[in-house]
Amino acid sequence: DGTSPRRRRVRSHTLREEPSSLARSSRPASPRSASGATMAATAMGGASVVGAPKFVAAGSRRTVRGASALRGATRPAAARRSIATVTRAQAGQTAEGDRIVDVSQIVVPEDLIGIRAYVRWEEAGMPEDTPPEWQAAEYAKARLDLQLEVLNGVTLNDIRRRYNQETVDGDDEPIFSRGDADVMLDDAAGKFTGATSNVVPMETRPTPLDDFAPTIEIPGGGEKQKVAIEPEEWIEPPPEQVGEYHSDAYAHRDLRSIVSHRVGGDEVAAPKYSAKTFMSRWASFDSPNTLVNQRLYTLGNDSEMLVQMYQDVVEDESASSGPRKRVVSRSVVITTDSQDDLVLHWGVAKDEPGQWLLPETTVWPGKTTAVSDMSVETPFVSGQGCLPAEAFDKDEVEPGEEDLCYPIQQLTIELPDDGADELMGLQFVIRNKEGTSWFRDEKNGNSNFHANYATTQHSKAADELLETIIRSEAGNGWWTLMHRFNLASTMLEQKCAPGASEKSIAKAVAAAAKIYVWLRYSSNRKLTWQRNYNVKPRELSAAQSKLTKTIAKLFCDAPHLRDVTRLMLGTVGKGGEGGQGQQIRDEILNIMHRNDIKEKKGIWMEEWHQKLHNNTTPDDIIICEAYLAFLKSNMDISEYWRVLSEGGIDRARLESYERPILAEPTPRPTKKVALIKDFQNYLKILKSVHSGADLIECIKTANKGLGGVSPALNYARVAQNGGGDAIQLLAACVDARHELRGAGLANPSDQEWTRELLYLDLSLDDVARRAVERSGEANYGLEDQMRLAGLVMENLALSLPTSNEDIVLALIEWRRVEEARRGGDSQWALRAKAVVDRVRLAVALHADDVAAKMQPAATEIGVACGIEHWAVDLFAEEVIRGGPAFALSLVLSRLDPLLRAEADMGAWQIISPVPAVGYVKHVHSLREVMNETFTRPTVLVAGKVGGDEEIPAGAVAVLTTCSVDVLSHSAVRARNMGCLFATCYDEAVLDSLAALDGEPVSASVMGGDEVVWDEVDASAVAVGAGAGDVSSVPKGLKLAKISFCGKFSVPLQEFKKGVVGAKAINTLALNESLGGGKIPAWINLPKSMVIPFGTMEHVLDDAVNAGVKAELASLVAAIDDSSETALERSLAACRACVKRIIAPAGMLDEIEAAIVAAGIPAPEDEDRWAKAWSALTDVWASKWNDRAFVSLRNVGIDHDDLRMSVLVQPVVDADYAFVIHTVNPSSKDQTELYAEVVMGLGEALVGNYPGRALSFSVKKTSGETPRILGFPSKSVMLKIPRQTLIFRSDSNGEDLEGYAGAGLYESVPMDEEETIHADYATDPLVWDEGFRTELLSKIAEAGVAIEAALDGQPQDIEGVVKDGEIYVVQTRPQV
């Protein structure tokens, strides 16, 4: 409107802080200068040494102080000049008047020699504890370096200037004439090699190197004579002594302090937005529910643009099938603070994201004009944007101001809803009014801007993040590492910003996982590093620095992302603000000039120099290491190719660079030592940019902040490449990683310091992994193996700062097990085996989580970008194999057989002991073949068994390495079907059977605790035990058709057959037995009522559910069981349909009255009743779960005849839950009871959660102490922290004569259970023998009493323990 802005905008990028002079210094003072001082002093003999040579940052220039002269001030000027004056005046005579005839007689000031000696020590890598003879040799070589320079015409002042020393009058002229120099070089040809004790002549031998040997031409009276200069030999500095590392921190550390706290809900507060630009405040201040996405872009150098996408969604009450919500409006709002008048050049997308279509005029804003057959242009509308004062910092708001305004431009484009005219979004670019400047997405390969919605007309919702990645990577435009890193930084800032809601956290975790996949592909060279674009090293270095700082900031601000951001940082070099990157470019040229290597086309080093100049990449580290190997092996070219190959570089890759490397390195024998020193230093420069996790470099960087190098960190440094004990090295790494937590990683806040600590932590993690690999070669005893396992667990816990709780709790219990072993506990091995099983399960769950989060993105990116299929298919597996979880798995595999031997367990757990003859089939999981019907007897070797699967028809055996509860659904069904079922704890044993895939075998149980097998002829299968041959399931089972009884609820006293299920009938029997004194009064029974058979079918007949009924009938008729995937999809649709059933009028009132009459607390309000109805319909819907459908089909039961009654009871907030089989199911011993117990609610047991429960057996009549068969290894327990109800399935398809249908259908609590990691280290049931014996005896006594009360029929009993009281919640006949 022409008015002035009320306040100038505040921009973060205008508040630049000048770098300190120290930061600009090219070489900081060395913390190890004392070693240099020792070297110089030893070598100089009688020379005066007043201090160590060291570099001191002074302002912005480096000042070098020598060993015997501080800036040349300790000697009079005349004395400082005397050497040069004498030698020049007397034309090559010594101070005594003799003619100089040998290079070694040239006198160079000792302060310059001391400086050169220090520089050589730095170039050699600053080795520590070097022997005196090495120091003396280095000092002599430093003297020779300068003598040769002087002889070749370099003035003393030239040398002083190089080292930032004050010059001396008269020392700017060369000392020797060319003729004098040639004479002395003639003499030097045979003598200079012996001038220093560490320069060893190479043996004379025929070698291709002779062709490259340099010579000195000696002028004479006739033809010039050539004398070869003998090359130098490199002497590797002696390795440091490793020594030993002993620490007691392992046993005394507070492990609970490293437990990560799960995030969600209000546990993570959104941090205050710290951006200082008006547009970023505009973006962050107001976010209505209709805002589905927003993104902030830069426009040119001083403006920003915010793109916001809005969508209004409403419930569609008229929809009887399909989506229940519909989009009624969409709009894209584009806002910018640019001061130039701007125009939007845009088109719309309908069928695919990158489409440009001419928009219909109905969506054109005012003043829009068509400019082509696919695009239009619309000018932005100018105005003012105002924000309330609270959007700004206090110091930016004047007292009394209510809002602050700034000139902005804005444009709103209204898009159609999700009907026939639905659009995916729009694509656009921006230009100024004159058309002289155009703006595109600079951070995304200069591509078009876009605002795309995921549309409902596509079968798969578009993934904007992956779409952006693929569009950038799979295109043919220019693209480099720099662009990739800049785009990754932007994406992390946009998609992973910390938020408080569980939804936002889940989205951030998913986005971060995808970005990690992308960066890992990049670091593994699966994506191009350069395409049609040259990047200066300093630009790449700056992009890396920005990305790594963004990652470190997320690590600080978003605890839920710490696992993945830590991984992410390992894929990117540290980079720098430009200086480090520029060093890559400059130093290679300096090396070439120092060593007189010409910039000549076709020479290897010049080709590499050109590549470095235009596009340096992490490959350059490998190339540099390969060249060093070539030099150190006396120019053996095979060493060059070996190192390249080990680093993943072949000739084709070298030739593929935009500036290709076609030649091989040129042998330069006389330059070898100098080149080795130069390139060892150059390798450090390359690593500082491209490789953040180099242990030595990380220690140097973090040393000051850590207050020095601790013994643990120093031991890891010295022992990382070999030597020393693997366990001691691992202990040092773990101790050092805890020190890093104390230094800031436990509660990170400073992103710069956090980044340095994380890189150091990653390098220590890598050393720890290599220590584990080395430990496999050691012959450790059991005690050392257990300590090793504990250390590797602890190392893994430190590597999972977001999700380590399960591992940490297992580790705490492991510490107790170690103490128990030392204390003589007879059950220590059984305890240890349980912890090992739990940890193995945790590693497996971690691997599954990695696969679930990363493999889909890896597949999508990999396929779109043409990555090799093996790298795509194995992506998630390789992530695990390269990390500490796999290292732990290796250690446990070595430890497990030792523990089993100590516990006298053997390699097998027999669950269903029957013989089997069939064809071996190796499968990934039992679930994937559950729906199959094998046409011939099949012995299944299954990689995964959860315990809740149905045994497939035709299977005669299921053998797995997974720990499965003896009372799990799969175990019960296997025994019911006469199927051999066993767990093998030795993977190698089962692998040998899996190797017989497709071959016929005969398997049986030998000695009651071992499965053995033999290969047999195919004819033996026909006469052997086939599927179901020993099954107790009768053929031709039919279910009686049951009608609705006429009411929605049945009280306890009216429970009867045909109206309620067997659980309810047995509940009535138990109550009558309790009242009649047949069972002890201390056994508690919960209050109960039932929603009877036929209720669901009756409710579907109500007019209010007519649409649902018709849809369900259609879905049931269309069930496709041709494959497991098709079956799951079909049944899921049926369950979703059942969930839409509506309660008829009066139904819930009747149920509420029955609940109250039964003495059960009823739901308190409408929200609670909604939860109750949801739980009830979940039970009804479980009629169509895949396990139940397959089971009924396999025994010939008509699924349509199944009816579901529902037993309603209050939930007992249990301390423990148990299941009893009053006849031991494994041994069939009628006199022995078997039971399993878990912490918390029973769903962890009957719901077949992974891991094993505490199991015991006891004779029914002897009164003996229960015998522990196994301690618990389940990782979780379940709790519901409030009063609630449970709706138990009670169908007519369970508890049939001879058919074990128990567990086929769901029992659902009204409130969702809280999953808590089990802490067995403090559980009295595990560690208090008296408590355990008393409780287990009481559980066993309850089982015996109930069996007796029910006419001696074996029972399958479920119950809980609360405050020492026993509650039996249901019982059924044991099948």
Side-chain angles (χ1 to χ4, degrees), residues 847-891:
D848 290 345
D849 183 60
V850 167
K853 289 176 179 173
M854 298 181 185
Q855 192 59 49
T859 300
E860 196 160 343
I861 295 173
V863 171
C865 297
I867 297 172
E868 304 99 314
H869 70 86
W870 61 266
V872 174
D873 296 343
L874 298 177
F875 182 91
E877 181 179 335
E878 289 302 311
V879 171
I880 294 297
R881 291 182 68 87
F886 183 71
L888 178 55
S889 181
L890 290 177
V891 171

Side-chain angles (χ1 to χ4, degrees), residues 750-809:
D750 183 296
Q751 71 179 50
E752 294 272 4
W753 179 233
T754 297
R755 184 179 68 149
E756 304 306 332
L757 291 177
L758 280 173
Y759 272 121
L760 181 50
D761 187 63
L762 285 164
S763 64
L764 286 167
D765 194 7
D766 182 62
V767 174
R769 179 183 56 79
R770 286 183 273 137
V772 174
E773 292 172 356
R774 284 167 50 187
S775 70
E777 304 169 2
N779 186 25
Y780 290 129
L782 178 58
E783 185 171 353
D784 283 338
Q785 290 275 20
M786 291 184 67
R787 182 162 191 260
L788 176 67
L791 286 168
V792 183
M793 286 183 216
E794 194 167 353
N795 189 65
L796 175 59
L798 292 169
S799 300
L800 298 174
T802 297
S803 57
N804 63 14
E805 185 177 29
D806 195 10
I807 292 292
V808 172
L809 292 177

